[in-house]
Amino acid sequence: MSELDYTVKDHIATILLNRPEKLNAFNPGMLKAWQEALRSAQADPEVRVVVLTGAGRAFCSGGDTGRMAARAADTEAPDAPYSNKESLRAGPQGVAMAVQALEKPYIAAVNGVAAGAGMDMALMADIRLAAKSARFTEAYMRVGLMPGAGGCYFLPRIVGIAKALELFFTADFVDGVEAERIGLVNYVYDDDKLMEETYKLAARLANSPPINMTLIKRTIYQSLTTDLRTSLDLVSSHMAVVRTTEDSKEAITSFKEKRPGNYKNR
């Protein structure tokens, strides 16, 4: 059994973190497979939505602590700072960059603890759903580390600067209900309903016009770093493209006929 499973069914790709005995703590092999799965999902016209979740009672507890301890003990080795930097770049940061290149909806179903870099991996998703038993913590202060997987980038954009700083400074745990209240997750569900609700949403998105979703996602993320005029200019160009697609014509027709749309793969 692999430590990360990637499957595709009904236009939905699932990335399952599969080290339940280690609370799905990731190692270099998992991170490499994770990046490959994201790239496969982006390139596959059959895939319209990607779901990320964990096996067992955890979502992801971050990096493998055994490897982290060994790396910390090796700080005096030649080129150790550069080696550690490159390890982050090729590993968890490589996942972040692969997520950035994914132009399809990316849903994280947080089924249990999401700690440190494991929480940051959830923050990378477009939409986060959580079980009531889920627990989030930016645990870096407890172990004297920095958020190397992009937490300082993602968290303030989701919950605001003040709340992000509080979560980093205190390393407090946030449960599923509180996570929904502060906007960390979109919805929280009873544990036994999480995956059912996740795939219900994924199926709804998979049955939507895929080109429209791609261009909306692209516009939103690009608009975070551009001015209003540039954003409006971008969306007017996208509008001109969308109106010529078969998806757009089918959406209008199915709306008038009050039936589900039948959209082609990209």
Side-chain angles (χ1 to χ4, degrees), residues 2-265:
S2 65
E3 295 179 329
L4 185 143
D5 292 334
Y6 176 75
T7 56
V8 178
K9 182 180 179 182
D10 297 330
H11 301 300
I12 301 169
T14 299
I15 298 174
L16 175 69
L17 308 180
N18 198 23
R19 294 183 79 200
E21 74 285 356
K22 296 289 187 179
L23 300 182
N24 299 318
F26 53 71
N27 56 35
M30 285 178 69
L31 292 169
K32 182 179 179 181
W34 202 333
Q35 294 172 51
E36 291 172 350
L38 289 164
R39 286 192 285 266
S40 293
Q42 175 61 24
D44 187 352
E46 285 294 319
V47 173
R48 298 182 182 176
V49 183
V50 181
V51 170
L52 169 69
T53 194
R57 62 189 180 92
F59 174 76
C60 180
S61 58
D64 189 304
T65 54
R67 292 188 59 85
M68 290 166 61
R71 191 179 303 138
D74 195 34
T75 54
E76 295 184 2
D79 298 326
Y82 179 74
S83 176
N84 288 335
K85 178 180 177 66
E86 287 302 288
S87 178
L88 278 174
R89 187 187 66 82
Q93 292 178 0
V95 174
M97 298 307 294
V99 170
Q100 187 180 60
L102 180 67
E103 294 192 313
K104 301 173 183 183
Y106 187 40
I107 304 171
V110 183
N111 56 299
V113 66
M119 176 172 171
D120 295 342
M121 294 300 195
L123 299 180
M124 297 175 194
D126 302 314
I127 296 171
R128 283 162 299 284
L129 310 178
K132 286 183 177 177
S133 66
R135 300 178 75 213
F136 298 83
T137 176
E138 292 287 13
Y140 300 99
M141 292 293 284
R142 292 198 190 100
V143 292
L145 294 176
M146 290 287 294
C152 287
Y153 179 88
F154 295 108
L155 188 57
R157 286 169 164 78
I158 296 169
V159 300
I161 292 174
K163 193 65 180 180
L165 287 171
E166 176 194 335
L167 293 175
F168 280 121
F169 290 165
T170 66
D172 284 345
F173 278 90
V174 173
D175 64 23
V177 174
E178 177 67 3
E180 183 182 31
R181 188 189 73 81
I182 65 176
L184 183 60
V185 302
N186 296 69
Y187 298 103
V188 62
Y189 298 104
D190 291 335
D191 289 23
D192 61 348
K193 293 291 185 182
L194 174 63
M195 296 315 299
E196 175 186 341
E197 294 296 333
T198 297
Y199 283 111
K200 189 182 296 183
L201 173 60
R204 181 178 178 184
L205 299 185
N207 290 322
S208 300
I211 293 175
N212 296 57
M213 285 195 298
T214 288
L215 295 182
I216 288 173
K217 177 174 176 175
R218 190 182 297 174
T219 301
I220 286 176
Y221 283 113
Q222 290 180 345
S223 294
L224 292 174
T225 56
T226 61
D227 59 89
L228 176 61
R229 184 179 298 278
T230 301
S231 181
L232 293 176
D233 189 58
L234 173 68
V235 79
S236 63
S237 298
H238 288 343
M239 181 71 79
V241 171
V242 164
R243 283 177 170 164
T244 66
T245 64
E246 291 299 317
D247 278 353
S248 180
K249 297 171 185 176
E250 169 61 12
I252 293 171
T253 301
S254 62
F255 178 78
K256 289 180 177 178
E257 296 177 356
K258 298 181 180 180
R259 60 170 175 80
N262 181 22
Y263 302 108
K264 298 179 180 179
N265 296 337

